[in-house]
Amino acid sequence: AAAGCDLCADGAAVRRCLTCGADLCLFCCQAHRRQKKTASHAVTELENTKDCSQVEKPLFCPSHPTERLRLFCEQCDQPVCRDCVVDRHRQHPYDFTGNVIHRHGDALRELLKSTQQRLSTLESVLSQIDDMGNALHGRTEAVATEICLFASGYVKAIEEHRDRLLKQLEDLKVQKENLLHLRKAQLQQLLLDMRTGVEFTERLLTSGSDLEILITKGVVASRLAKLNSVAYNTHPSVDDGIQFSPQERAGQCHGYELFGAILNKVVDPARCTLHGEDLHSARQNQLTGFTLLCSDTTGERMGRGGEAVQVTITHKDKRDCAVKPKVCDNGDGTYHVSYSPEEPGLYAVCVYVKGQHVKGSPFTLMVKTKFREHQGVFHCCTFCSSGGQKAARCACGGTMPGGYQGCGHGHKGHPGCPHWSCCGQVKESSECLGGPPSDTSQRSLLRTVAL
């Protein structure tokens, strides 16, 4: 049996609106096409929609199972049936689903479009991540190859450096052994000559006649005196002072920076020397110092730092008064010692390297009081510098006739040259030697200074 019209329920359905999904009779189909809202809807013959009707099964209202969902409540934003609009959705704005589908479909299509764009972007990002993963994998393999090449090259350079150091050490050992053998042969020959001379002299004195002794005495005495005059070192001329310094820079090998060097030089405290403009004098509360130059057993400069240098500066009269010096390792075999004594007097300075006194240690240091500035004026005489004031005095002790208490050039006691009014010294760049003047002399001298 033919299905009934979904709109009028009187006529038989002959066509279907594909937009609304409603089955229409001929009358309703014509009315459907005349209305503005539905004029553009696609309508097809009912026979051509059999397949679609089989797929698109009608949906019935959950609240009214016998009614199909043909309407859409705009306020509740959900499909409803005819019974719903007179029941729970009374006075709610509604319309046929076919009339509202274009508006809601367009909004959904816009949202779909933006989502599709984001989907495309997301796929592009995922593709970039995959590409970056592949690039990362390839890059790590390339860097791993570089690391292996670098490490193998470094190992090769270190092994070459090791072989070079061992060869250097062997050459040094052979050199020292040859020197020892030479020195030993010389001493053994000297010892043999001495024994021969001693044995011959002993036999002569015990077994020889008086005449034989007297005849050979001159030759034997000359031989023994010559043997006794031979100079030789009581210590071996060669030492075992061979050291290895891992932190010493050793240059480059195949482009790699290497460390580690054999140090053959050994510092000799007796050959270390002290240098400075004035080792034996200093000023109170004035920073001063000197330089220690370290040398090896042959007297050659060490050329590197790292030695155990110790310096003590103690007051000879005040045992509890000591100066704390600062030792700066210059890294080239020299050490700068600086200090600032607070108390004047005589000090004892000791400089040790490896616990032994260096050459010139200990020595005495005289700390003088702080440099005294001149309080007067450097003038030719008080008469000139004071403008002829009679009360102006000078420490040179000169006097003038007419009641003047100070000096005048050409008068008694004048030094005959420019001098300081406070102490009488004739050298302008000098330390003031005058003691604190009395109140009266202070006033008169100050008047001179003021002018």
Side-chain angles (χ1 to χ4, degrees):
C5 178
D6 289 333
L7 296 184
C8 64
D10 291 336
V14 293
R15 293 179 184 174
R16 167 168 290 180
C17 176
L18 297 177
T19 307
C20 300
D23 293 337
L24 307 173
C25 66
L26 188 60
F27 178 79
C28 290
C29 182
Q30 293 173 350
H32 206 61
R33 285 178 173 171
R34 283 197 298 269
Q35 292 181 4
K36 287 184 178 181
K37 288 184 178 181
T38 58
S40 61
H41 288 194
V43 178
T44 185
E45 295 294 332
L46 196 59
E47 288 78 13
N48 298 336
T49 62
K50 285 184 179 180
D51 295 337
C52 295
S53 64
Q54 288 177 0
V55 176
E56 297 177 6
K57 294 182 180 179
L59 297 175
F60 294 93
C61 179
S63 302
H64 310 92
T66 59
E67 292 294 328
R68 293 175 64 181
L69 295 171
R70 299 172 184 271
L71 305 172
F72 186 80
C73 178
E74 296 284 0
Q75 181 172 328
C76 299
D77 196 33
Q78 68 178 46
V80 293
C81 68
R82 286 181 297 184
D83 292 346
C84 287
V85 296
V86 297
D87 187 10
R88 288 182 300 168
H89 297 270
R90 185 182 302 160
Q91 295 182 346
H92 288 190
Y94 69 92
D95 201 346
F96 281 103
T97 55
N99 296 338
V100 299
I101 186 63
H102 67 281
R103 179 160 47 85
H104 290 279
D106 289 345
L108 196 60
R109 271 187 288 274
E110 285 296 323
L111 189 60
L112 174 64
K113 186 178 179 182
S114 65
T115 306
Q116 285 174 335
Q117 289 177 348
R118 290 179 64 84
L119 179 68
S120 175
T121 305
L122 188 60
E123 288 175 346
S124 174
V125 171
L126 285 172
S127 175
Q128 290 178 10
I129 289 175
D130 291 338
D131 293 342
M132 184 54 70
N134 294 331
L136 180 64
H137 180 72
R139 187 60 191 151
T140 51
E141 286 186 345
V143 173
T145 304
E146 289 180 14
I147 291 172
C148 291
L149 287 172
F150 171 81
S152 61
Y154 213 157
V155 169
K156 184 179 178 182
I158 290 173
E159 288 176 344
E160 284 189 22
H161 183 50
R162 175 200 63 197
D163 296 341
R164 219 168 28 235
L165 286 173
L166 291 175
K167 177 68 167 57
Q168 183 182 346
L169 179 63
E170 181 65 24
D171 293 344
L172 192 58
K173 185 191 79 168
V174 171
Q175 177 187 349
K176 286 180 176 288
E177 283 179 344
N178 289 339
L179 289 173
L180 283 174
H181 289 155
L182 177 61
R183 183 63 179 155
K184 185 177 180 181
Q186 291 172 344
L187 292 176
Q188 283 177 337
Q189 184 62 48
L190 179 61
L191 180 62
L192 180 62
D193 292 344
M194 282 187 173
R195 279 178 176 165
T196 303
V198 167
E199 290 173 359
F200 179 82
T201 307
E202 286 178 343
R203 282 199 307 270
L204 178 65
L205 291 173
T206 55
S207 306
S209 64
D210 295 344
L211 187 59
E212 288 175 337
I213 294 174
L214 292 173
I215 292 174
T216 57
K217 175 183 76 68
V219 177
V220 173
S222 175
R223 178 61 176 165
L224 290 179
K226 186 176 180 180
L227 290 173
N228 287 334
S229 66
V230 175
Y232 59 91
N233 196 345
T234 56
H235 300 286
S237 57
V238 179
D239 56 58
D240 61 346
I242 303 174
Q243 296 177 354
F244 176 69
S245 175
Q247 70 274 12
E248 197 85 12
R249 289 185 177 273
Q252 290 190 345
C253 180
H254 302 303
Y256 296 94
E257 188 74 25
L258 296 175
F259 293 85
I262 293 175
L263 306 178
N264 184 30
K265 291 185 176 183
V266 178
V267 68
D268 185 358
R271 293 182 180 269
C272 297
T273 54
L274 300 171
H275 303 272
E277 289 185 5
D278 198 351
L279 282 172
H280 303 283
S281 65
R283 287 283 181 180
Q284 181 184 7
N285 295 325
Q286 194 174 47
L287 185 65
T288 186
F290 56 87
T291 301
L292 168 67
L293 174 60
C294 288
S295 302
D296 62 6
T297 51
T298 63
E300 187 180 349
R301 185 170 169 175
M302 289 296 293
R304 59 178 174 83
E307 302 297 342
V309 177
Q310 184 183 4
V311 181
T312 60
I313 305 175
T314 54
H315 202 290
K316 286 198 172 184
D317 297 326
K318 303 175 183 177
R319 291 297 177 184
D320 57 340
C321 178
V323 179
K324 290 185 179 179
K326 182 180 179 182
V327 180
C328 178
D329 187 347
N330 296 325
D332 59 356
T334 63
Y335 301 80
H336 184 69
V337 182
S338 57
Y339 59 93
S340 179
E342 296 180 359
E343 289 286 336
L346 204 60
Y347 287 79
V349 182
C350 298
V351 183
Y352 305 94
V353 172
K354 291 186 175 179
Q356 300 177 42
H357 280 286
V358 300
K359 187 177 181 181
S361 173
F363 63 89
T364 56
L365 169 70
M366 172 57 74
V367 176
K368 300 178 182 179
T369 54
K370 193 174 181 180
F371 189 89
R372 294 186 61 180
E373 301 287 344
H374 289 284
Q375 300 299 316
V377 291
F378 193 68
H379 62 181
C380 64
C381 64
T382 56
F383 183 83
C384 293
S385 63
S386 66
Q389 294 185 16
K390 290 186 176 183
R393 299 173 67 250
C394 181
C396 73
T399 58
M400 287 187 295
Y404 287 92
Q405 298 180 22
C407 61
H409 44 277
H411 294 279
K412 183 181 178 182
H414 188 272
C417 60
H419 57 282
W420 285 100
S421 64
C422 48
C423 62
Q425 282 205 91
V426 296
K427 189 177 179 181
E428 186 172 7
S429 58
S430 60
E431 182 180 8
C432 186
L433 301 178
S438 62
D439 291 340
T440 56
S441 62
Q442 175 106 24
R443 282 195 296 270
S444 61
L445 287 175
L446 286 177
R447 282 162 59 190
T448 307
V449 173
L451 291 167

